[in-house]
Amino acid sequence: MSDTARTPSEIRCFADADEVARAAASAFVDAVVAAQRERVQAHVVLTGGGTGIAMLEHVRRDQGAIDWSAVNVYFGDERFLPPGDPDRNEVQARGALLDHVPIDPARIHTMPALGEDGCSTPEDSAQRYAELLAAHSPDGTVPVFDVHLLGMGGEGHINSLFPHTDAVRESERFVVGVDDSPKPPPARVTLTLPAVQRARQVWLLVTGAAKAEAVAAAVGGAAPEDFPSAGAHGTERTVWFLDPAAAEQLPAQ
């Protein structure tokens, strides 16, 4: 997806981190229900991080009219650790939401862990996940995600796409392995910007003053190689859920 086709960023600001999570959860329920009403099946990409997991906990408390039998769950990135490791996004998402709703386990599409499915490297896991995505895609690439949830780091990273790395510069592959993440653990698996940009809606859940500079840069159109979050945009909507500290360097609106 070219920059000329970028959807404008919608900015939503809330009182604090919990309100960001709560508002995103409510919007998530509405988006899933709407997707199921229009297309029967909903395809969503979950994220980790404090606010992302808090959002899932809010969804658990108020699931609205979601039909979990028609929800397909994917992950934007994963720490390449052994199965069941508490630092894996999958494990945290299960504890916050997925283990508590009537979703078919076969619809929870996780990135293979270390030693799982014969995977000994992040690249092995990335290849397996790319094959899985292709199998669930109408055109043999990746599904058209209804919502891709993202957190963001202070330097602007999303998923495990960090500034000035091969992963953020990837323009063809949809999943890559990472061996040298600057944020531990170094071994990770991540969807790339081409995969993110296939989503109908991309939502970024960001809180804290330490991220204000990156928010302003990304919203202002910085180069994704410098601020990876600048390359996160959906085909229909791109929404930033922020608290006042994260939004403090944006122009007054």
Side-chain angles (χ1 to χ4, degrees):
M1 184 175 179
S2 68
D3 285 343
T4 57
R6 288 184 62 172
T7 52
S9 295
E10 301 176 29
I11 308 299
R12 300 185 184 183
C13 194
F14 302 91
D16 54 34
D18 185 64
E19 287 302 312
V20 168
R22 189 185 305 274
S26 177
F28 178 84
V29 170
D30 290 345
V32 170
V33 171
Q36 292 177 332
R37 185 182 304 118
E38 295 174 21
R39 294 176 289 276
V40 181
Q41 302 286 324
H43 298 265
V44 299
V45 182
L46 303 186
T47 186
T51 305
I53 296 302
M55 190 216 84
L56 298 184
E57 292 172 343
H58 281 297
V59 173
R60 174 184 171 184
R61 297 184 190 109
D62 188 0
Q63 302 167 30
I66 290 178
D67 176 4
W68 290 103
S69 71
V71 175
N72 303 280
V73 171
Y74 306 86
F75 289 85
D77 75 326
E78 189 57 273
R79 296 167 175 87
F80 190 62
L81 297 168
D85 190 292
D87 283 340
R88 281 179 60 85
N89 289 335
E90 167 208 347
V91 173
Q92 296 176 19
R94 289 184 186 277
L97 174 66
L98 300 178
D99 285 347
H100 308 280
V101 295
I103 185 172
D104 183 347
R107 290 181 178 270
I108 302 173
H109 304 297
T110 61
M111 294 175 168
L114 173 63
E116 192 174 44
D117 294 339
C119 293
S120 60
T121 68
E123 193 55 42
D124 290 341
S125 179
Q127 180 61 38
R128 300 284 195 285
Y129 208 60
E131 293 168 356
L132 182 150
L133 294 178
H136 288 83
S137 165
D139 63 0
T141 57
V142 294
V144 178
F145 306 119
D146 293 294
V147 178
H148 192 313
L149 295 166
L150 292 166
M152 188 194 75
E155 78 292 74
H157 88 264
I158 53 169
N159 288 338
S160 287
L161 303 174
F162 291 85
H164 310 294
T165 60
D166 290 340
V168 77
R169 288 189 288 263
E170 179 61 49
S171 61
E172 296 183 0
R173 299 176 62 196
F174 296 107
V175 195
V176 296
V178 175
D179 290 308
D180 55 355
S181 166
K183 181 179 180 180
R188 294 164 176 250
V189 184
T190 184
L191 298 191
T192 60
L193 289 179
V196 174
Q197 293 166 5
R198 285 290 296 268
R200 291 184 172 90
Q201 299 192 53
V202 171
W203 299 356
L204 298 101
L205 284 54
V206 185
T207 62
K211 303 178 181 181
E213 179 182 0
V215 169
V219 172
E225 184 171 348
D226 298 328
F227 293 90
S229 52
H233 40 83
T235 60
E236 296 178 5
R237 299 179 72 193
T238 304
V239 186
W240 292 77
F241 293 81
L242 307 172
D243 68 355
E248 65 182 3
Q249 293 191 31
L250 290 173
Q253 299 186 43

